[in-house]
């Protein structure tokens, strides 16, 4: 029956999509239900698309097979939710004078008498944040694996250290699997799923096509105030510690 299904797809379908899911058991997240995504297969004939999708069944797709260093990608995600906000926080309008009657964090006039409706350009209160956003042209600085003890080392800084900072990433923990280091920020809170796609533009500027050579990756604690890059460096600087008390 499976073979007949393939033949029907080859004969009648013009678009082929695959269902891909994340492997949450390999992360430190408490969530158990995997994220499911439908991805379209492009290029080649329908028969070639079906064969390509069939060869990927029950297999992992590593980040190394999709992206390369110094490549520009787009990051798609859902921003941090702010809840129901007023016009001042939501749109950044100027507050009214202090002595204003019935509040000052308001829009003084929301429109003329005619036309007898409120224009879409007028700032109004409502949901702020938790919006679907796409950020363009993020340059990939490094692709590595958190299990590699030298994933945080560079050509200039040869210290054997992992990409995870001391104490772990705040509100996330320890990176144990493949990671992607990009320039700048990305939308959303920690642990929220992101979609990374190849850039839709043709990049020709010097900034876009230049090769990046990282000189130093800071792995000091992002939660405390220490500047130690590794635990061994801290022990060497602070010296032997007081032994723990033993009670009899």
């Amino acid at each position: 029956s499976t073979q007949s299904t393939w033949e029907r797809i080859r004969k009648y379908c013009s678009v082929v999509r695959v269902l891909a899911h994340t492997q949450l058991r390999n992360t430190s997240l408490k969530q158990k239900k995997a994220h499911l995504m439908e991805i379209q297969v492009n290029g080649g004939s329908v028969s070639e698309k079906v064969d390509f999708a069939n060869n990927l069944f029950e297999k992992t797709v590593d980040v190394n097979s999709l992206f390369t260093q110094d490549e520009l990608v787009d990051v798609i995600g859902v921003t941090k939710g702010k809840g129901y906000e007023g016009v001042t926080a939501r749109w950044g309008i100027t507050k009214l004078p202090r002595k204003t009657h019935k509040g000052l964090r308001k829009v003084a006039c929301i429109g003329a008498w005619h036309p007898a409706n409120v224009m879409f350009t007028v700032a109004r209160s409502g949901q702020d944040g938790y919006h679907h956003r796409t950020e363009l042209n993020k340059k990939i600085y490094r692709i590595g694996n958190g299990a590699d003890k030298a994933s945080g080392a560079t050509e200039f800084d040869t210290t054997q250290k992992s990409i995870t900072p001391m104490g772990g990433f705040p509100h996330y923990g320890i990176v144990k699997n493949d990671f992607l280091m990009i320039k700048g920020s990305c939308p959303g809170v920690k642990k929220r799923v992101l979609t990374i796609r190849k850039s839709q533009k043709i990049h020709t500027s010097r900034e876009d096509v230049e090769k990046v050579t990282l000189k130093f990756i800071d792995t000091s604690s992002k939660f405390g105030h220490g500047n130690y890059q590794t635990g061994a460096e801290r022990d060497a600087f602070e010296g032997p510690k007081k032994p723990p008390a033993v009670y009899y």
Side-chain angles (χ1 to χ4, degrees):
S1 60
T2 306
Q3 193 62 34
S4 62
T5 304
W6 293 129
E7 296 304 325
R8 289 183 61 214
I9 294 175
R10 288 189 176 94
K11 185 175 181 180
Y12 297 108
C13 294
S14 59
V15 177
V16 178
R17 295 187 179 97
V18 296
L19 287 175
H21 70 86
T22 56
Q23 293 179 289
L24 285 175
R25 65 176 58 188
N26 292 339
T27 68
S28 302
L29 305 183
K30 292 182 179 179
Q31 180 180 339
K32 294 184 179 180
K33 192 173 183 178
H35 306 95
L36 195 62
M37 186 179 183
E38 194 174 276
I39 304 175
Q40 184 166 314
V41 180
N42 294 324
S45 63
V46 175
S47 180
E48 291 172 341
K49 293 177 183 178
V50 171
D51 294 336
F52 176 78
N54 191 14
N55 292 331
L56 287 178
F57 269 170
E58 301 297 332
K59 295 180 181 178
T60 59
V61 180
D62 298 327
V63 67
N64 295 318
S65 62
L66 297 176
F67 305 109
T68 58
Q69 187 172 330
D70 303 317
E71 185 182 358
L72 290 173
V73 296
D74 300 338
V75 180
I76 307 169
V78 178
T79 61
K80 288 184 179 181
K82 308 293 184 181
Y84 193 98
E85 291 281 12
V87 288
T88 303
R90 195 182 188 208
W91 299 106
I93 66 167
T94 304
K95 292 197 296 184
L96 298 176
R98 181 187 61 82
K99 298 181 69 174
T100 305
H101 184 53
K102 289 188 177 179
L104 46 81
R105 296 170 64 92
K106 298 173 178 291
V107 177
C109 178
I110 62 173
W113 194 322
H114 293 292
N117 48 31
V118 180
M119 302 292 287
F120 76 94
T121 54
V122 178
R124 307 290 275 166
S125 62
Q127 172 68 29
D128 190 21
Y130 205 67
H131 303 309
H132 187 274
R133 292 291 180 266
T134 302
E135 295 191 2
L136 306 178
N137 306 334
K138 302 287 187 179
K139 198 176 192 69
I140 297 178
Y141 277 176
R142 172 167 289 192
I143 299 175
N145 191 290
D148 183 8
K149 295 183 179 180
S151 57
T154 63
E155 182 181 350
F156 299 89
D157 177 28
T158 57
T159 306
Q160 294 293 304
K161 57 183 181 179
S162 174
I163 193 68
T164 304
M166 290 188 64
F169 284 99
H171 306 287
Y172 180 81
I174 300 173
V175 176
K176 302 177 181 177
N177 302 291
D178 294 342
F179 68 86
L180 203 67
M181 182 190 293
I182 61 173
K183 180 182 179 181
S185 61
C186 56
V189 298
K190 281 80 172 176
K191 302 180 183 179
R192 183 170 290 170
V193 66
L194 294 172
T195 302
I196 302 175
R197 74 180 184 198
K198 289 184 175 292
S199 179
Q200 307 294 296
K201 299 182 179 180
I202 299 176
H203 300 277
T204 56
S205 68
R206 180 181 298 177
E207 181 182 6
D208 291 345
V209 299
E210 72 173 346
K211 302 297 181 181
V212 175
T213 302
L214 295 179
K215 292 189 175 182
F216 178 72
I217 298 175
D218 184 23
T219 57
S220 63
S221 175
K222 308 305 175 191
F223 201 79
H225 300 285
N227 292 322
Y228 307 107
Q229 296 297 309
T230 60
E233 180 183 335
R234 177 178 180 176
D235 295 339
F237 182 83
E238 295 183 350
K241 295 182 174 60
K242 183 179 179 180
V246 178
Y247 299 99
Y248 296 100

